Amino acid sequence: MRSTPPAGSSDLDMAARAAWLHFVGGLTQSEVARRLGVPTTRAHRYIARAQSDGLVRVFVDVQAGDCVALETALIQRFGLSHCRVAMDVPETGPLPLRTLSAAGADFLMQAAARGEHDVIGVGHGRTLSASVDAMGRVESTRARFVSVLGGLTRSYAANPYDVIYRLAQKTGAEAYMLPVPMFAKSAADKQVLLAQPGLDTITRLIDEATLIVLGIGEAAGSAREAIAANMADPHGAEAGQLQRAAAEILGQFLDERGRVLELVGRDRAMAPALDTLVGRDVVAIAGGLSKAPAIRAALASGLLTGLIIDEATARAVVGEPAPSAGPGNL
């Protein structure tokens, strides 16, 4: 039976109808096309748009016992109040973005919906960006979002502007960007930038944020080179100091024991000093085996109250071997 949509239906309406017929009604894409009176290729595009726009959410009501055990180990070892270890799924890239984005999106949607925080600070990075992309639409009548890190960098992955914009779109909440570079050229230049008209509102919101959601950056290999490229003197003393760095959080660096490196861009990072995060909820969304040392350093710092991480990386952080590929682990 053909179901002709009302005249003047928008593409978004059509996407919603197509997604409903496909995911709820169980129709194939060809059947959806016939019901809507459109070519199969267009029905496919409608369904894809519904997924990308967050109109489709999939819930799998299961929690693997191994993941729960890892969560308990991380909470007890590092004094966390919240930990989510997401079950691994096949990934094509170096970072487990599908796994982390699903768990990260769920956390962000709950944080926006619950209304426990008037101001939520947001960091940067590919994992956080993917988490926002994976969010469905949720009304947030109370929370406001604010970027806690300057975004004019050479790295698109470190640019928080798009993240803030999409958060506003998906929640209907007010969202504020910090329109400054990630690093100032000097401590004096930082104060000049922060004194510009309008920035006092943003910095006040950052100070008021009771929840900070951020990523954890590597500080080794190519990642170290990318960080150095944002420094005033990438070949000077600061670059030498980076050799001791194990992790980057909000443009500031930690050694492997979680201690803040005082001299590496600390007074030039256009972000709140890490010691000002103490007493707030600070939740990191991070994963990938190459990031295990950085995540371990961030946890050792005591700054984090929560962690969202993939299963494989969680095992590496706590020092557990991967499960054998026996019948129960296929």
Side-chain angles (χ1 to χ4, degrees), residues 58 84 86 96-108 130-131 134 308:
V58 178
R84 170 73 184 276
L97 290 180
R98 290 178 61 190
T99 300
L100 291 172
S101 64
D106 182 62
F107 175 81
L108 288 168
S131 297
I308 298 169

Side-chain angles (χ1 to χ4, degrees), residues 201-225:
T201 300
I202 310 299
T203 55
R204 186 164 57 249
L205 280 174
I206 292 173
D207 290 340
E208 294 174 1
T210 52
L211 170 63
I212 309 289
V213 186
L214 43 73
I216 298 172
E218 297 178 65
S222 59
R224 179 176 291 155
E225 295 173 5

Side-chain angles (χ1 to χ4, degrees), residues 256-306:
E256 63 181 7
R257 296 175 61 182
R259 297 173 300 189
V260 178
L261 295 178
E262 298 289 343
L263 301 179
V264 184
R266 176 177 168 84
D267 58 351
R268 297 190 297 105
M270 301 301 296
L274 295 183
D275 56 9
T276 68
L277 303 185
V278 176
R280 314 193 211 186
D281 286 336
V282 182
V283 178
I285 307 174
L289 291 177
S290 65
K291 284 195 175 185
I295 294 170
R296 196 179 294 115
L299 288 166
S301 73
L303 292 170
L304 302 184
T305 62

Side-chain angles (χ1 to χ4, degrees), residues 51-171:
Q51 291 177 291
S52 65
D53 283 1
L55 303 182
V56 178
R57 297 182 65 196
V58 178
F59 294 93
V60 181
D61 191 12
V62 64
Q63 180 82 20
D66 287 350
C67 291
V68 173
L70 287 168
E71 290 169 1
T72 301
L74 287 164
I75 287 171
Q76 292 179 345
R77 184 174 303 183
F78 297 105
L80 301 175
S81 59
H82 167 77
C83 183
R84 170 73 184 276
V85 175
M87 288 184 288
D88 291 328
V89 298
E91 303 273 0
T92 57
L95 293 179
L97 290 180
R98 290 178 61 190
T99 300
L100 291 172
S101 64
D106 182 62
F107 175 81
L108 288 168
M109 292 180 68
Q110 289 189 44
R114 283 196 303 264
E116 295 176 356
H117 301 278
D118 288 334
V119 183
I120 299 174
V122 181
H124 65 85
R126 285 177 291 174
T127 303
L128 188 54
S129 179
S131 297
V132 174
D133 280 341
M135 288 175 62
R137 297 184 184 277
V138 57
E139 287 298 319
S140 178
T141 57
R142 176 177 175 181
R144 290 170 290 171
F145 293 94
V146 62
S147 173
V148 294
L149 178 67
L152 300 177
T153 70
R154 301 178 187 181
S155 170
Y156 173 77
N159 193 330
Y161 284 17
D162 197 39
V163 171
I164 284 290
Y165 174 73
R166 281 177 282 135
L167 274 170
Q169 279 189 314
K170 294 198 172 187
T171 64

Side-chain angles (χ1 to χ4, degrees), residues 234-266:
H235 305 292
E238 283 192 329
Q241 291 279 350
L242 274 176
Q243 299 304 314
R244 295 172 49 205
E248 175 264 324
I249 296 179
L250 298 183
Q252 297 157 79
F253 308 99
L254 309 173
D255 67 14
E256 63 181 7
R257 296 175 61 182
R259 297 173 300 189
V260 178
L261 295 178
E262 298 289 343
L263 301 179
V264 184
R266 176 177 168 84

